[in-house]
Amino acid sequence: MAEMRLLLVLLMLPFLGERGSGFSPEARIVGGTAAVPRQWPWQVSLRDRGQHVCGGSLISHQWVLTAAHCVSSSASLKDLRVQLGEAALYSRPRGSISVAVVRAIQHPSFTGDALQGSDVALVKLARPVPFSSTIRPIALAPPGSEFPAGSLCWVTGWGDVQQDVALSEPLRLQEVDVRVVGLDSCRKLYYPEPITKNMLCAGDVQGQKGFCEGDSGGPLVCQLRDRRWVQAAVVSFSRGCAEPGLPGVYARVSSYWAWIQRHLLLPGHFRRNFSRG
């Protein structure tokens, strides 16, 4: 087996999403640009003892979607908080909110290894948050959603801008456009690692566009023909950071839609802090 250096990006429906107006000319994520405030109001920062460890997306007044590997069962809930409405990390602008976490639920099929799939988790906030121009949920792609190869989508986060190169001050949220890559092509590129139908691959043929360490759990969003935004997938893993010809691998939201909805509609059924069901 050829040696594969995989970077696991570890920092770690209700409303249909509407992207804020405005565009930014700056550079970064990997190969992206700094997002204008309010452009991606569902983006959140998951923090452990005050430090950003993962991204995530607000999907209702009290729930955040992230990657399962972002909420290790060995972590302590009292150390976790979610920061909402913040375009630049740690800036705490007026209207931003920091909320404690009361529950983190990994998908029951998650084995602890993102490469094996089911890399999704739900985080319940200690209290419902009000929606505003900077805090708004994203709609989730329902079962049967298709994002054909070549579809243009966007991924956002505060992760490294190159491998081992951290985002510089003022730590503005980064955005980058990526194209969906067909599963058959993605399987060939990642062989012998298993790329399943519950994953989605997206990147850039030339490389230098995609996510990196610190972006895990963040949303990949795509705009429908009627201009509504939906979350297609969750940042999971990649080989390196936006390597040429290698797409990033995401957990496909539509594959887990029913599981997500079950937890959102039936709160309070999980007695342990971290649940596998």
Side-chain angles (χ1 to χ4, degrees), residues 165-206:
V165 179
L167 178 65
S168 60
E169 297 284 350
L171 305 178
R172 293 267 302 276
L173 178 68
Q174 303 296 305
E175 63 183 22
V176 69
D177 59 313
V178 290
R179 296 277 181 183
V180 174
V181 175
L183 278 184
D184 287 344
S185 296
C186 193
R187 285 173 178 141
K188 292 175 182 176
L189 293 168
Y190 272 90
Y191 182 83
E193 300 299 332
I195 301 298
T196 74
K197 65 181 180 180
N198 297 327
M199 298 174 180
L200 184 150
C201 300
D204 184 81
V205 174
Q206 303 301 321

Side-chain angles (χ1 to χ4, degrees), residues 179-275:
R179 296 277 181 183
V180 174
V181 175
L183 278 184
D184 287 344
S185 296
C186 193
R187 285 173 178 141
K188 292 175 182 176
L189 293 168
Y190 272 90
Y191 182 83
E193 300 299 332
I195 301 298
T196 74
K197 65 181 180 180
N198 297 327
M199 298 174 180
L200 184 150
C201 300
D204 184 81
V205 174
Q206 303 301 321
Q208 302 177 356
K209 273 190 176 185
F211 59 79
C212 197
E213 186 171 358
D215 294 319
S216 269
L220 177 77
V221 298
C222 309
Q223 194 169 32
L224 305 179
R225 289 184 178 179
D226 59 8
R227 302 188 63 79
R228 292 175 298 167
W229 290 90
V230 296
Q231 183 170 350
V234 176
V235 173
S236 183
F237 69 91
S238 68
R239 183 191 294 174
C241 287
E243 294 291 329
L246 283 171
V249 183
Y250 302 75
R252 188 183 294 267
V253 164
S254 59
S255 297
Y256 304 101
W257 189 89
W259 175 79
I260 293 168
Q261 293 304 314
R262 178 164 61 88
H263 286 276
L264 267 61
L265 294 173
L266 298 174
H269 285 244
F270 306 93
R271 298 179 182 178
R272 294 183 298 171
N273 287 342
F274 288 87
S275 171

Side-chain angles (χ1 to χ4, degrees), residues 61-121:
H61 281 287
Q62 204 168 358
W63 288 92
V64 164
L65 179 64
T66 189
H69 76 256
C70 289
V71 288
S72 166
S73 57
S74 64
S76 174
L77 283 184
K78 67 180 176 59
D79 293 329
L80 297 179
R81 296 187 72 86
V82 170
Q83 185 75 36
L84 307 99
E86 193 176 71
L89 283 182
Y90 315 123
S91 62
R92 298 200 173 186
R94 185 174 182 178
S96 65
I97 303 173
S98 176
V99 186
V101 171
V102 295
R103 183 168 299 139
I105 309 167
Q106 295 174 327
H107 190 274
S109 298
F110 183 66
T111 64
D113 183 355
L115 277 67
Q116 300 303 311
S118 300
D119 191 17
V120 292

